[in-house]
Amino acid sequence: MNIKPLNDRVAVKYLEEEEKTRSGIVLPDTAKEEKPQQGEIVAVGKGCTPEDGDPEVKVGDLVVFDKYSGTKVTIDGEDYIILNLEDVLAVIEK
Amino acid sequence: MNIKPLNDRVAVKYLEEEEKTRSGIVLPDTAKEEKPQQGEIVAVGKGCTPEDGDPEVKVGDLVVFDKYSGTKVTIDGEDYIILNLEDVLAVIEK
Amino acid sequence: MNIKPLNDRVAVKYLEEEEKTRSGIVLPDTAKEEKPQQGEIVAVGKGCTPEDGDPEVKVGDLVVFDKYSGTKVTIDGEDYIILNLEDVLAVIEK
Amino acid sequence: MNIKPLNDRVAVKYLEEEEKTRSGIVLPDTAKEEKPQQGEIVAVGKGCTPEDGDPEVKVGDLVVFDKYSGTKVTIDGEDYIILNLEDVLAVIEK
Amino acid sequence: MNIKPLNDRVAVKYLEEEEKTRSGIVLPDTAKEEKPQQGEIVAVGKGCTPEDGDPEVKVGDLVVFDKYSGTKVTIDGEDYIILNLEDVLAVIEK
Amino acid sequence: MNIKPLNDRVAVKYLEEEEKTRSGIVLPDTAKEEKPQQGEIVAVGKGCTPEDGDPEVKVGDLVVFDKYSGTKVTIDGEDYIILNLEDVLAVIEK
Amino acid sequence: MNIKPLNDRVAVKYLEEEEKTRSGIVLPDTAKEEKPQQGEIVAVGKGCTPEDGDPEVKVGDLVVFDKYSGTKVTIDGEDYIILNLEDVLAVIEK
């Protein structure tokens, strides 16, 4: 089963705790009990690729996003967040 | 009797519980008592098909949408939600 | 006496209860005590007809609209709702 | 003394009660204690006349408008409402 | 000392009570204890004059404006209101 | 040390009380305990100068602005307000 | 590990207290217990550089920003704020 975000949306899979520690990204104190605001892009909509030039994000990118953006869905027992590309704040490169 | 959504709207039929389980889509905990946020597209407005290129959704697609979008109507005892194409988040492909 | 909606507005006459039952359209439970959100178009403004192509609605169409849209007026003892074309969700074809 | 609405605004004079009854326009129950939402156009701004084509309203037209639109002023003891053309919902033709 | 409103703003001087009575403009009851919503234009910004055609208001015009628009300032003991041209509702001609 | 406002912003230095009295600008009663809403422009962003024509404000201008606009900062013990050019209401010329 | 802000966003590192004192920037009283609203730009998105002309900010710039803008993240134990270029108010030059 596959998730195909429409338009300029991306689907992001939450990082597991171990991975998060390994990646070294820590959330500020006030967000301790909140859902993590980072994850890995697993699918991008067609509107995420500009006609000329490179896309800003691609499948596999580790991204940071605002904890109030996007809509959470669970497919086959896996948590995803679907959010607009404009709500992806930054890519973290290892 | 037929429902013809205007402009860039689509009509979506809620999935039955069994189907939902079969499709493997589960809602997050906080949405337990809410209406499901998924369904099958049964009709699309004329504005959903771009002049050049393929439409992003078509009749029969299984889609995910935000639980606060759209307007619910019941026609011939069947529940539908009419929502703007831009409120359809993603298509789920089996 | 005649009602001429301006611009891209339409005037809609509420369906009588019997007609509503006959048409098979039933409102969801939460809307039980609300005004019905359907009716028949009795007049359309000049802005409802695009310069090229067919208009999306015409006088006589049975339409569904959001219960929070439009402005209610009573003319010659008859209830009407005047609403923007963009607030007409769908046409119901028998 | 004269009132000249600016831009795309119109000045509307409230109908007297007798006239309202004669014209057959009655307000819905919930608006009983509110100001009437109809009147006669007494002046139109220059922006109400499109460069090509006929204006949608003219002085003397009996119009319906939303009770929350416009600004009320009293000039020489006469009540007027100044409102944007886009807040005029419909013209009533006798 | 001079006040030069920027862009499409105008500076308006409140009418004295006597003048207001003389001009015959009376405010509706609900506005009794509010500041008067009329005055005389004393300065206009450069953006108030369209490139082609006449300006809609000029210094000396008696104007009506919404009591919630504009910003009040006092210069040399005189009260002014600085407001956008689009918040001037109408010109009153004697 | 220098402050360089970005884009279409200006940096304004609050007038000292004596200067304010000298300039004759007095605030309305309701603003008595508020910060003064006037000051002198000390820096302008590059976006404040239109490509053709003169800028509307320049360094040294005495300006009036809405007390809710802008962001206050203190640099080297001096209070400044950084605000968008469109929030500068008027220039006061002595 | 690297942070790559998307689009027209910048990543800013909060200044340490000593640095802040050295730079002479002090926050107004009401902001005493708030996070500092200044910092050094450590990364800029591709959308921050206009096609023609110089960018308004570059890596290393000391900038001032509104304390309600941006999203805070912590990467490798270091606090950053990611904010839109349009929320950067000014550059401070030493």
Side-chain angles (χ1 to χ4, degrees):
Chain A
M1 183 172 300
N2 246 326
I3 186 165
K4 267 183 52 186
L6 292 195
N7 218 332
D8 61 347
R9 289 191 185 85
V10 299
V12 170
K13 199 176 140 225
Y14 287 115
L15 282 188
E16 313 259 342
E17 280 308 304
E18 307 90 289
E19 291 185 54
K20 193 167 55 181
T21 308
R22 223 179 332 117
S23 74
I25 301 181
V26 186
L27 291 176
D29 291 356
T30 58
K32 273 275 168 58
E33 286 129 74
E34 311 265 351
K35 283 268 186 189
Q37 58 179 157
Q38 53 176 308
E40 185 184 323
I41 290 184
V42 296
V44 301
K46 280 192 292 188
C48 295
T49 305
E51 294 204 0
D52 44 354
D54 298 322
E56 289 212 279
V57 297
K58 58 184 187 306
V59 172
D61 277 356
L62 177 64
V63 293
V64 182
F65 48 90
D66 199 306
K67 66 180 170 275
Y68 299 113
S69 40
T71 300
K72 293 174 194 96
V73 288
T74 307
I75 302 181
D76 289 344
E78 198 80 64
D79 279 349
Y80 295 98
I81 191 158
I82 297 172
L83 73 168
N84 293 318
L85 178 56
E86 67 171 23
D87 290 327
V88 177
L89 301 174
V91 174
I92 307 299
E93 293 178 324
K94 305 185 191 189
Chain B
M1 183 172 299
N2 245 325
I3 186 165
K4 267 183 53 187
L6 292 195
N7 218 332
D8 61 346
R9 289 191 184 86
V10 299
V12 170
K13 200 177 140 224
Y14 287 115
L15 281 188
E16 313 259 341
E17 280 308 304
E18 307 90 288
E19 291 186 54
K20 193 167 56 182
T21 307
R22 220 175 340 113
S23 75
I25 301 180
V26 186
L27 292 176
D29 292 356
T30 58
K32 273 276 168 58
E33 285 130 73
E34 311 265 352
K35 283 266 187 190
Q37 59 179 157
Q38 54 177 308
E40 185 185 324
I41 290 185
V42 296
V44 300
K46 281 192 292 187
C48 295
T49 305
E51 294 204 0
D52 45 352
D54 298 322
E56 289 213 279
V57 297
K58 58 184 187 306
V59 172
D61 277 356
L62 177 64
V63 293
V64 182
F65 48 90
D66 199 305
K67 65 179 172 276
Y68 299 114
S69 40
T71 301
K72 294 174 194 98
V73 289
T74 307
I75 302 181
D76 290 344
E78 198 80 63
D79 278 351
Y80 295 98
I81 191 158
I82 297 172
L83 72 169
N84 293 319
L85 177 57
E86 67 172 21
D87 290 327
V88 177
L89 301 174
V91 174
I92 307 300
E93 293 179 324
K94 304 184 191 189
Chain C
M1 183 172 299
N2 246 325
I3 186 165
K4 268 183 51 187
L6 292 195
N7 218 333
D8 61 346
R9 289 191 184 87
V10 300
V12 170
K13 199 176 141 226
Y14 287 115
L15 282 188
E16 313 258 342
E17 280 307 304
E18 306 90 286
E19 291 185 54
K20 192 167 56 181
T21 308
R22 220 176 338 114
S23 76
I25 302 179
V26 186
L27 292 176
D29 291 356
T30 58
K32 273 276 168 55
E33 285 130 72
E34 310 265 353
K35 282 268 187 188
Q37 60 180 155
Q38 53 177 308
E40 185 185 324
I41 290 185
V42 296
V44 300
K46 281 192 291 189
C48 294
T49 305
E51 294 203 0
D52 44 352
D54 298 321
E56 289 213 279
V57 298
K58 58 183 186 307
V59 172
D61 278 357
L62 178 64
V63 294
V64 182
F65 48 89
D66 199 306
K67 65 178 171 278
Y68 299 113
S69 40
T71 301
K72 295 175 195 97
V73 289
T74 308
I75 302 182
D76 290 344
E78 198 80 64
D79 278 352
Y80 296 98
I81 191 158
I82 297 172
L83 72 169
N84 293 319
L85 177 57
E86 68 171 21
D87 290 328
V88 177
L89 301 174
V91 173
I92 307 299
E93 293 179 325
K94 304 187 192 188
Chain D
M1 184 172 298
N2 246 325
I3 186 165
K4 267 183 52 186
L6 292 194
N7 220 332
D8 61 346
R9 288 191 186 87
V10 299
V12 170
K13 199 178 140 223
Y14 287 116
L15 282 188
E16 312 258 342
E17 280 307 304
E18 306 91 287
E19 291 184 55
K20 193 166 58 182
T21 308
R22 222 176 337 114
S23 77
I25 302 179
V26 186
L27 291 176
D29 291 357
T30 57
K32 273 277 167 55
E33 285 130 73
E34 311 265 352
K35 281 269 189 187
Q37 60 180 155
Q38 53 176 309
E40 185 184 322
I41 291 184
V42 295
V44 300
K46 281 192 292 188
C48 295
T49 304
E51 294 204 0
D52 44 353
D54 299 321
E56 289 213 278
V57 298
K58 59 183 185 308
V59 172
D61 278 357
L62 177 65
V63 294
V64 182
F65 48 89
D66 199 305
K67 66 179 170 277
Y68 300 112
S69 40
T71 300
K72 292 173 196 100
V73 289
T74 307
I75 302 182
D76 288 344
E78 199 80 63
D79 278 351
Y80 295 97
I81 191 158
I82 297 172
L83 72 170
N84 292 319
L85 177 56
E86 68 171 22
D87 290 328
V88 177
L89 301 174
V91 173
I92 307 299
E93 293 179 326
K94 303 188 191 186
Chain E
M1 183 172 298
N2 246 326
I3 186 165
K4 267 182 53 186
L6 292 194
N7 220 331
D8 61 346
R9 287 192 186 87
V10 298
V12 170
K13 199 178 140 224
Y14 287 117
L15 281 189
E16 312 259 340
E17 281 307 304
E18 306 92 287
E19 290 185 56
K20 194 168 56 183
T21 308
R22 221 175 338 113
S23 76
I25 302 180
V26 187
L27 291 176
D29 291 356
T30 57
K32 274 277 167 58
E33 285 131 74
E34 310 266 351
K35 281 268 189 189
Q37 61 179 156
Q38 53 176 308
E40 185 184 324
I41 290 184
V42 296
V44 300
K46 281 193 291 187
C48 294
T49 304
E51 294 204 359
D52 44 353
D54 299 321
E56 290 213 279
V57 297
K58 59 183 185 308
V59 171
D61 277 356
L62 177 65
V63 294
V64 182
F65 48 91
D66 200 306
K67 64 181 172 276
Y68 299 113
S69 40
T71 301
K72 293 175 195 97
V73 289
T74 307
I75 302 181
D76 289 343
E78 198 81 63
D79 278 351
Y80 295 98
I81 191 158
I82 297 173
L83 72 169
N84 292 319
L85 178 56
E86 67 172 22
D87 290 328
V88 177
L89 301 175
V91 173
I92 307 299
E93 292 180 326
K94 304 187 191 186
Chain F
M1 183 172 297
N2 246 324
I3 187 164
K4 267 183 53 187
L6 292 195
N7 219 331
D8 61 346
R9 288 191 185 87
V10 298
V12 171
K13 199 177 140 224
Y14 287 116
L15 282 189
E16 313 258 341
E17 280 308 303
E18 306 91 286
E19 291 185 54
K20 193 168 55 182
T21 308
R22 225 181 330 118
S23 76
I25 302 180
V26 186
L27 291 175
D29 290 357
T30 57
K32 274 275 168 59
E33 284 129 75
E34 311 266 351
K35 282 269 187 189
Q37 60 179 158
Q38 54 177 307
E40 185 184 324
I41 290 184
V42 296
V44 300
K46 281 192 291 188
C48 296
T49 304
E51 294 204 359
D52 44 353
D54 299 321
E56 289 212 279
V57 298
K58 59 184 186 307
V59 171
D61 277 356
L62 177 64
V63 293
V64 182
F65 48 90
D66 199 306
K67 64 180 172 275
Y68 299 113
S69 40
T71 301
K72 294 175 194 96
V73 289
T74 307
I75 302 181
D76 288 344
E78 198 82 62
D79 278 350
Y80 295 98
I81 191 157
I82 297 172
L83 73 169
N84 293 319
L85 177 57
E86 67 172 22
D87 290 328
V88 177
L89 301 175
V91 174
I92 307 298
E93 293 179 326
K94 304 187 192 188
Chain G
M1 183 171 298
N2 246 326
I3 186 164
K4 267 183 52 186
L6 292 195
N7 218 331
D8 60 346
R9 289 190 185 86
V10 299
V12 171
K13 200 176 140 226
Y14 287 116
L15 282 189
E16 313 258 341
E17 280 308 303
E18 307 90 288
E19 291 185 54
K20 193 166 54 181
T21 308
R22 224 180 331 117
S23 75
I25 301 180
V26 186
L27 291 176
D29 291 357
T30 58
K32 273 275 168 59
E33 284 129 74
E34 311 266 351
K35 283 267 186 189
Q37 58 179 159
Q38 54 177 307
E40 185 184 323
I41 290 184
V42 296
V44 300
K46 280 192 292 188
C48 295
T49 304
E51 294 204 359
D52 45 353
D54 298 322
E56 289 212 278
V57 298
K58 58 184 186 306
V59 171
D61 277 355
L62 177 65
V63 293
V64 181
F65 48 90
D66 199 306
K67 66 179 170 277
Y68 299 113
S69 40
T71 301
K72 292 173 195 98
V73 290
T74 306
I75 301 181
D76 288 344
E78 198 81 64
D79 278 350
Y80 295 98
I81 190 157
I82 297 172
L83 73 168
N84 293 319
L85 177 57
E86 67 171 23
D87 290 328
V88 177
L89 301 174
V91 174
I92 307 298
E93 293 179 325
K94 305 186 192 188

